[in-house]
Amino acid sequence: MKSTEQQFLKELDDKLWKAADKLRANLDAANYKHVVLGLIFLKYVSDAFEERQEELLELFQSDREDNIYFLPREDYDSDEEYQQALDEELELLDYYREANVFWVPKAARWSTLKKKAVLPVGTVLWQDDAGKDVKLRSVSWLIDNALEEIEKSNAKLKGILNRISQYQLENDKLIGLINTFSDTSFTKPVYGGQKLQLHSKDILGHVYEYFLGQFALAEGKQGGQYYTPKSIVTLIVEMLQPYSGRVYDPAMGSGGFFVSSDKFIEEHAREQHYDASEQKKHISVYGQESNPTTWKLAAMNMAIRGIDFNFGKKNADTFLDDQHPDLRADFVMANPPFNMKDWWSESLSEDSRWKYGTPPKGNANFAWVQHMIHHMAPTGSMALLLANGSMSSNTNNEGEIRKRLVEEDLVECMVALPGQLFTNTQIPACIWFLTKDKANGLVLSEQKRDRSGHFLFIDARNLGYMRDRVLRDFTPEDIAKITDTLHAWQHGEGYEDIPGYCKSASLDEIKKHDFVLTPGRYVGAQEQEDDGEPFADKMARLTGQLKKQFAESDRLEAEIKRNLGGLGYEL
């Protein structure tokens, strides 16, 4: 993205967040996110609808030979009749469905919302289908009515859009938010006197993602249930490279992995000079989420970005009510709750997913691993964020399950991550990369080498930077370093072991470590630069320095005691 576009988005983020954050005096973050994200969604569908209307109007009036939409002026007796015909055509639903644009009824359009919100309560807005007057009750009611109208007209959004009247916000606060969004150019934006190459979907998708991150920070531990840090999501997607096929996340939160996969395809298309929209037709996304609120956030996130999705019939527990029992995905990725305790049910005791051993009832880590393996296609790969304990624990059958995963050659790469990456936990984490076809015998299009019996370990604990006093983050260079290391190893081109960072190990080496998969055990210590001083000389010099420092410490301690004694203190 160009620097001008980045600056535009940064200033837009700041402006919109400051406007939204004014609601914090009335609502906590867990609630006011629904108000703000609901308005972002309404703005998006309305902008997309208006963009399609502009395209259609141009098509209706263009007499190009190949234009099937053309409405000739000469077919009508007057300009008024022609204009009426154009207006009627613009209201035909099929024109929007064919372009994968949500149909937005007049009552739900942003222009209606902005115009009607400032009217006095009790004003007649329109007449319903029965001919009765519909009066303005409140601005929150007006917004809820718009959300309801969109759901009625778009079956895929049924039950998805969260109503806001329950939060009892004052009209003037909502009008302020509506005006802020109205004052912002999401279509054909201009910054610094130049037109930007950003579409409404790009801008509002970015804003939605930014707000999710800000709300997660504001909510702390609770926010981490639906938001995985952007850099971690990007890292996993870049390592897996989901160009085409079925992508599945069994603990999807707000759908961050799907968004990042979509961006990855667009970036790859730019580099390879082909049509990203065509490539996206070869990707399908499947997700599951138990929290009903988060399930709705994810669906809205996909809708804003125009990503087709299948999140099951409802929010549901992944282990007890699998919404995709027959799915075999090409790419599986997830950031489930670490060390989840309350997950077990006796109905799971003989479950077919526990192919490598029954997971302990008090920790779901290896339940997630095996659930994801179960849903992998024969050529599939997966990436899973787990607590570090999963790499070494031997309690309650975990060690045996890990041993079988290694012996059956499913484990491909282990990445140890630095601490303080997550808003909701300080538990150190790692990434498990598994695949069913390390021999690369089934995927002819991918020129990976046969990695059978070999395992890559990456220790990334020293990478990243402190974004603030609490949170650490990865730079794009950190992500590229880890990604390039894995791909070089997979392809057998340009990879080499680096002490303290990465190591390609054999099955025998892992056996020597009792099937513990902690990268630090394999990569060893980082090489120290040789300063040319012989070891014996350096040791003598440092020992001498230490003796002098001890002597100085004793002298200072005696001086302090003498001074305190002079002041009448007994030591």
Side-chain angles (χ1 to χ4, degrees), residues 128-153:
D128 62 19
D129 294 338
K132 291 183 178 179
D133 289 343
V134 176
K135 297 179 181 180
L136 179 65
R137 301 177 200 169
S138 65
V139 178
S140 58
W141 170 85
L142 187 67
I143 293 169
D144 281 355
N145 183 71
L147 294 167
E148 189 172 335
E149 289 295 319
I150 288 173
E151 280 194 356
K152 284 180 184 176
S153 304

Side-chain angles (χ1 to χ4, degrees), residues 1-262:
M1 192 181 292
K2 296 177 183 176
S3 59
T4 50
E5 293 172 344
Q6 289 177 333
Q7 190 61 30
F8 166 79
L9 290 174
K10 184 180 184 306
E11 290 184 14
L12 178 64
D13 289 339
D14 292 342
K15 172 187 172 181
L16 296 180
W17 179 253
K18 283 176 184 175
D21 206 35
K22 291 176 183 176
L23 296 180
R24 218 197 302 205
N26 302 77
L27 295 169
D28 61 31
N31 289 326
Y32 82 86
K33 72 166 176 275
H34 298 300
V35 178
V36 177
L37 295 176
L39 281 172
I40 290 173
F41 181 80
L42 281 174
K43 180 65 172 158
Y44 163 69
V45 292
S46 197
D47 279 8
F49 183 83
E50 287 176 8
E51 279 184 337
R52 178 58 176 164
Q53 278 195 323
E54 289 178 12
E55 290 173 9
L56 288 169
L57 192 58
E58 188 177 328
L59 288 169
F60 294 157
Q61 296 174 308
S62 172
D63 61 354
R64 292 198 319 265
E65 190 173 326
D66 62 339
N67 181 19
I68 61 172
Y69 297 90
F70 179 47
L71 292 176
R73 166 65 184 83
E74 55 267 24
D75 290 353
Y76 301 89
D77 295 332
S78 66
D79 289 342
E80 290 78 11
E81 190 179 332
Y82 181 53
Q83 186 60 51
Q84 184 179 348
L86 290 174
D87 291 342
E88 288 174 357
E89 285 290 310
L90 285 173
E91 294 297 323
L92 293 179
L93 184 145
D94 288 345
Y95 286 132
Y96 302 89
R97 293 266 170 89
E98 69 185 12
N100 197 28
V101 171
F102 285 109
W103 169 257
V104 183
K106 286 183 178 179
R109 293 173 196 171
W110 193 262
S111 55
T112 303
L113 202 63
K114 184 184 177 185
K115 182 179 176 182
K116 306 294 186 186
V118 296
L119 296 174
V121 172
T123 302
V124 176
L125 302 177
W126 53 74
Q127 289 187 323
D128 62 19
D129 294 338
K132 291 183 178 179
D133 289 343
V134 176
K135 297 179 181 180
L136 179 65
R137 301 177 200 169
S138 65
V139 178
S140 58
W141 170 85
L142 187 67
I143 293 169
D144 281 355
N145 183 71
L147 294 167
E148 189 172 335
E149 289 295 319
I150 288 173
E151 280 194 356
K152 284 180 184 176
S153 304
N154 300 277
K156 195 147 195 176
L157 295 175
K158 184 72 174 172
I160 294 296
L161 306 179
N162 203 60
R163 308 298 190 264
I164 71 166
S165 292
Q166 60 185 304
Y167 305 121
Q168 299 179 334
L169 279 166
E170 297 170 9
N171 287 346
D172 60 337
K173 293 194 180 301
L174 290 173
I175 291 170
L177 265 182
I178 291 169
N179 287 337
T180 301
F181 279 104
S182 299
D183 292 342
T184 303
S185 176
F186 294 104
T187 54
K188 302 174 185 174
V190 175
Y191 182 77
Q194 68 181 70
K195 186 178 177 182
L196 302 180
Q197 298 301 310
L198 290 171
H199 298 290
S200 174
K201 182 184 76 171
D202 303 320
I203 299 170
L204 284 161
H206 166 87
V207 169
Y208 192 93
E209 186 177 8
Y210 172 78
F211 271 49
L212 282 174
Q214 291 299 105
F215 285 128
L217 286 171
E219 291 180 61
K221 187 172 183 179
Q222 186 70 21
Q225 293 183 4
Y226 62 80
Y227 185 78
T228 303
K230 186 179 176 182
S231 61
I232 303 300
V233 173
T234 302
L235 171 63
I236 285 175
V237 169
E238 293 280 349
M239 293 179 85
L240 279 182
Q241 296 182 303
Y243 294 119
S244 63
R246 292 150 302 199
V247 179
Y248 173 53
D249 183 347
M252 68 182 179
S254 55
F257 282 116
F258 302 133
V259 170
S260 195
S261 297
D262 192 63

Side-chain angles (χ1 to χ4, degrees), residues 171-439:
N171 287 346
D172 60 337
K173 293 194 180 301
L174 290 173
I175 291 170
L177 265 182
I178 291 169
N179 287 337
T180 301
F181 279 104
S182 299
D183 292 342
T184 303
S185 176
F186 294 104
T187 54
K188 302 174 185 174
V190 175
Y191 182 77
Q194 68 181 70
K195 186 178 177 182
L196 302 180
Q197 298 301 310
L198 290 171
H199 298 290
S200 174
K201 182 184 76 171
D202 303 320
I203 299 170
L204 284 161
H206 166 87
V207 169
Y208 192 93
E209 186 177 8
Y210 172 78
F211 271 49
L212 282 174
Q214 291 299 105
F215 285 128
L217 286 171
E219 291 180 61
K221 187 172 183 179
Q222 186 70 21
Q225 293 183 4
Y226 62 80
Y227 185 78
T228 303
K230 186 179 176 182
S231 61
I232 303 300
V233 173
T234 302
L235 171 63
I236 285 175
V237 169
E238 293 280 349
M239 293 179 85
L240 279 182
Q241 296 182 303
Y243 294 119
S244 63
R246 292 150 302 199
V247 179
Y248 173 53
D249 183 347
M252 68 182 179
S254 55
F257 282 116
F258 302 133
V259 170
S260 195
S261 297
D262 192 63
K263 289 180 182 175
F264 175 79
I265 293 169
E266 289 181 354
E267 184 61 35
H268 182 69
R270 262 195 299 274
E271 291 172 358
Q272 302 298 321
H273 305 292
Y274 62 74
D275 185 356
S277 60
E278 282 300 312
Q279 183 62 33
K280 287 180 185 180
K281 293 177 182 177
H282 302 290
I283 281 278
S284 50
V285 302
Y286 301 82
Q288 181 152 351
E289 172 60 43
S290 61
N291 184 294
T293 299
T294 307
W295 187 73
K296 292 177 181 181
L297 287 178
M300 287 171 63
N301 205 359
M302 299 303 102
I304 279 180
R305 296 175 180 279
I307 300 173
D308 194 28
F309 63 92
N310 182 342
F311 292 165
K313 295 178 180 178
K314 59 181 180 178
N315 60 288
D317 184 293
T318 299
F319 298 124
L320 297 175
D321 189 5
D322 190 347
Q323 294 289 293
H324 309 286
D326 301 321
L327 174 66
R328 297 298 177 266
D330 302 288
F331 303 97
V332 187
M333 36 193 155
N335 173 26
F338 294 167
N339 303 324
M340 192 166 79
K341 292 179 173 60
D342 299 323
W343 73 280
W344 180 259
S345 166
E346 287 307 317
S347 63
L348 297 171
S349 58
E350 301 296 328
D351 200 289
S352 61
R353 288 171 288 186
W354 317 146
K355 184 177 177 181
Y356 306 96
T358 302
K361 297 177 182 181
N363 192 318
N365 286 344
F366 283 93
W368 287 112
V369 173
Q370 294 189 84
H371 173 86
M372 291 170 69
I373 293 172
H374 177 79
H375 280 289
M376 270 201 293
T379 59
S381 297
M382 62 171 266
L384 173 62
L385 278 157
L386 284 180
N388 273 358
S390 63
M391 298 188 288
S392 57
S393 173
N394 285 313
T395 58
N396 299 320
N397 206 36
E398 288 186 332
E400 283 301 312
I401 296 173
R402 188 172 58 250
K403 178 182 176 182
R404 286 198 60 188
L405 295 175
V406 172
E407 288 180 333
E408 300 203 21
D409 216 11
L410 289 163
V411 180
E412 177 159 37
C413 175
M414 300 296 300
V415 180
L417 297 172
Q420 296 178 266
L421 286 171
F422 302 92
T423 58
N424 62 325
T425 180
Q426 294 300 311
I427 298 174
C430 61
I431 308 176
W432 288 64
F433 285 90
L434 286 80
T435 186
K436 283 190 174 179
D437 183 28
K438 284 169 76 173

Side-chain angles (χ1 to χ4, degrees), residues 378-379 381 409 412 435-452 490-491:
T379 59
S381 297
D409 216 11
E412 177 159 37
T435 186
K436 283 190 174 179
D437 183 28
K438 284 169 76 173
N440 205 41
L442 299 174
V443 187
L444 300 178
S445 60
E446 275 284 356
Q447 297 305 310
K448 294 177 183 176
R449 67 183 179 88
D450 184 349
R451 289 101 60 213
S452 301
Q490 287 177 325
H491 294 271

